[in-house]
Amino acid sequence: MTKLVLLVLVALAAAVAAQSQITWGHPSVPSFGQYSRSRLLPRNSNVSLAPVDRAELLVGQRFDISIEVHDTTATSSPDISKLSATINGKSLDSYFLSTPINQTWSFTYNTDAAAARDGKKTKVNASRYALRGVYFNTTGTYNIVVVVGSQNLNATWVVRGYAGDKKVKNLVLFIGDGMAPSMISAARYLSRPTAFGKFQDNFLNIEKLGSVGKISPNGYDSIVTDSANSASAYNSGQKNAVNALNAYTDTSSSSDDDPKTETLAEILRRERPNMCIGIVTTSEIQDATPAAVFAHTRARNDKANITSQVLNGWKLRDNSNWPWDVKPVKPDVLLGGGGEFFTSPNYFVDNSGKQVDYQTFKDAGYTVVNKGSDLSAYTGSGPLLGVFHRNHLETWLDRNVLKENLATVNSDPVTGKGGNTDQPNLDQMVKVAIKVMDSKCSEGWFLMAEAAAIDKSMHPLDFDRGLADLIELDTTVKYVVEYSQSNNNNTGIIVTADHAQGFDVSGSIDLQLFSSAETDSTGMNVAKRFAVGTYQNAGWPDSVIDDNGSPTKWTSQRFRLMASKVDSPGYTEDYTVITKPQNVTNPLARNPAITIPINGSASITQFNITLTNTTIALAVPNIAEQFSGIEHPSTLGPADTTSVHTIQAVDLYCYLPGAYKYYCSRVIDNTELFFIMAELLALGKGDGSVTVSSKNIIDSSSSSSVNVGAITGGTIGGFVLGAILAALITWLVIRPKKTSDSEAVKEKTEETSAYTAVKSDEA
């Protein structure tokens, strides 16, 4: 009996390993290259499907299905009248009891970088078959087959769900926008002392939460992501494309009609209407990361429309009535910047002439505050809208240390004129949000809080402002940990980044020597480079922490981090704090490079290239801001004036009860965080007609075949399943002989739950 069980387990483990493997030749593996007609297309195909192959969904989660057919040779859109689309052998429309919505259009695209440079476009005709606002009520593996003429497309979707009660009463998702692991280390060196190099218990608060993992932030379209794409993965469980918010990017001209997926907050409104939802950010509330909580559009800069979606949810602006029975999120607390899109002329106006502005929110029951002092004085139970800047809030450094800079910006969130010198800090906003939601929702709350200016400062290479905002985030996390501890650990905390930037530190700078050394005519500034310390001479930087524990001592440092990025425009670095920014960025920050127009004919002779444009924009160092430093050549495109994101995996830190913290102790796709949060909040129960296992065991009656996708779809995933199988095999081999096979199997069955499995795997 033992040998038989052992053989079965070995075979099952081998099957899991074999079926879960993605090979280079699989049609779902993206085509090589930079430019694409549509990244939703499988290799060598003219037919795309959204959701894509291997997508995972939650029971009851609303989503759109889009099948797009392309033709690059015909003069009209492809004929899809005979298109066949089935799910587990049954037609899609009859399975979902939904009427297809067909569309046709044409579009153009660049085939490669040379075509983009030369302005050469290739035309494509497209047709679409779509089902809108459908959902599954049963967990399982679903096989989709699409046939159009001679072309076939095969895909598998996995539907997951969770039984039982909430694992935490409240849940906070902290996002440090652009927060690379190296930035966390740099912030620690600046703000934490060591004893002969040992930090001991002096790591950052986020580093001490209890579990550490990694997240791969890329989308389906590119190895490098943006905030819209990656934050949407956290909120909807779907890989997205750059600029897209909870919508697969199609090729139509409209940014309204891309296939959508319901977000965690929208699901909360449907399944747990008595829970509160809060959104706090130091950016515009319409910016990508906060908007990913509630919005659906492929155009993240469509900020007036995003403002409307706060109250009204997704709607087609041409007044077409497409199915989408999803309630607007209408957050109980919404705090940040973005006043420009609540005021004329930039507020949203629908086809009937109705506008969405501050008064609209007041009419919907919101109290509106525009100053930090008014926020602190608020004692109500919401809903609360706080808008404290015309655009993004200024950084912590300017809000708290260089306060005189606040008056130099036209930041008033109502008039747009004059500076709002009363802008709240992140921890202040989070404290008020929690207080309001505690007073309103006894069943708990979900809060997304973003430290946005980490990313917004690192883009223009303003490392001081970026790291100061990271330290502000860390202080805020400490407050929420203490809040949870004082409330029987009823609040789960997840801290991560939506993506990384290529920041790092390779040594230190003696700023006294650097500043006193002369510049030279070569631009190499050799005399200044004697101030660079590497390896044993890197030493330790001056702390930026004052006697009150706040990072205020930025301008008094002599020994500073020698920080840089792997990517940058051409710029000059003198390693000083920019105390008086040029007021051309939002938030206020460094301005490392500017663009100048170059005549096309001159570009031929000076740069040895031929361009069809009469002029080009060329980025050059902004010597008006930093002149006497070390020159860095550009590693980016000719017109790029700021740095970009990189492919790094980002850190994942979790403060969760019991074994649940081990959910974060692994390397995961960004989509998996959605399912972790869904399980913690016990979402994904459908309409209650189906019993769903917390381990996502598949009901074979719901699917024509149960494959490895269903198994790997669980929160534990195929990784842990393999570990369980390996542990079972090992135990069967080395178990004490006095235990019978039946007793062993019974004992192991009683022990193995989703959570102990994760814990034993990590051990």
Side-chain angles (χ1 to χ4, degrees), residues 120-336:
K120 295 180 179 179
K121 298 281 189 177
T122 297
K123 183 179 179 180
V124 181
N125 294 304
S127 298
R128 170 159 56 200
Y129 166 104
L131 299 178
R132 302 285 178 171
V134 301
Y135 62 94
F136 290 100
N137 246 331
T138 308
T139 56
T141 301
Y142 296 86
N143 299 310
I144 296 85
V145 178
V146 179
V147 180
V148 185
S150 61
Q151 299 218 45
N152 296 343
L153 183 152
N154 295 274
T156 299
W157 296 337
V158 173
V159 180
R160 300 162 62 169
Y162 306 103
D165 297 326
K166 291 163 59 181
K167 313 307 183 291
V168 292
K169 180 181 179 181
N170 313 311
L171 182 62
V172 184
L173 172 62
F174 281 108
I175 294 182
D177 199 324
M179 184 174 65
S182 53
M183 296 177 194
I184 296 171
S185 296
R188 181 175 2 102
Y189 281 105
L190 288 172
S191 63
R192 297 292 193 272
T194 66
F196 286 101
K198 292 185 68 173
F199 284 100
Q200 294 183 310
D201 195 41
N202 276 339
F203 287 88
L204 296 183
N205 296 298
I206 63 177
E207 296 177 296
K208 298 189 292 184
L209 286 180
S211 59
V212 183
K214 288 282 188 182
I215 294 179
S216 178
N218 62 279
Y220 66 76
D221 64 327
S222 173
I223 58 175
V224 180
T225 188
D226 77 329
S227 294
N229 182 350
S230 52
S232 294
Y234 295 157
N235 282 280
S236 67
Q238 308 302 304
K239 288 284 187 181
N240 278 259
V242 169
N243 293 324
L245 291 165
N246 305 302
Y248 284 98
T249 298
D250 64 23
T251 60
S252 74
S253 59
S254 170
S255 61
D256 285 352
D257 64 358
D258 303 74
K260 308 173 298 300
T261 312
E262 191 178 23
T263 70
L264 185 88
E266 290 172 323
I267 297 169
L268 280 171
R269 283 293 181 242
R270 176 166 46 78
E271 291 195 11
R272 296 196 174 277
N274 295 323
M275 282 188 68
C276 277
I277 296 171
I279 301 172
V280 170
T281 180
T282 54
S283 73
E284 297 168 335
I285 62 173
Q286 305 89 351
D287 203 34
T289 302
V293 177
F294 60 85
H296 301 275
T297 174
R298 76 156 182 258
R300 59 177 285 179
N301 287 326
D302 194 359
K303 294 183 178 180
N305 180 30
I306 290 170
T307 306
S308 174
Q309 290 193 41
V310 174
L311 286 181
N312 302 315
W314 174 88
K315 295 182 184 298
L316 277 175
R317 280 174 281 189
D318 66 2
N319 291 332
S320 297
N321 187 23
W322 288 1
W324 188 248
D325 64 333
V326 175
K327 295 180 179 179
V329 170
K330 294 183 179 178
D332 300 276
V333 181
L334 180 59
L335 306 176

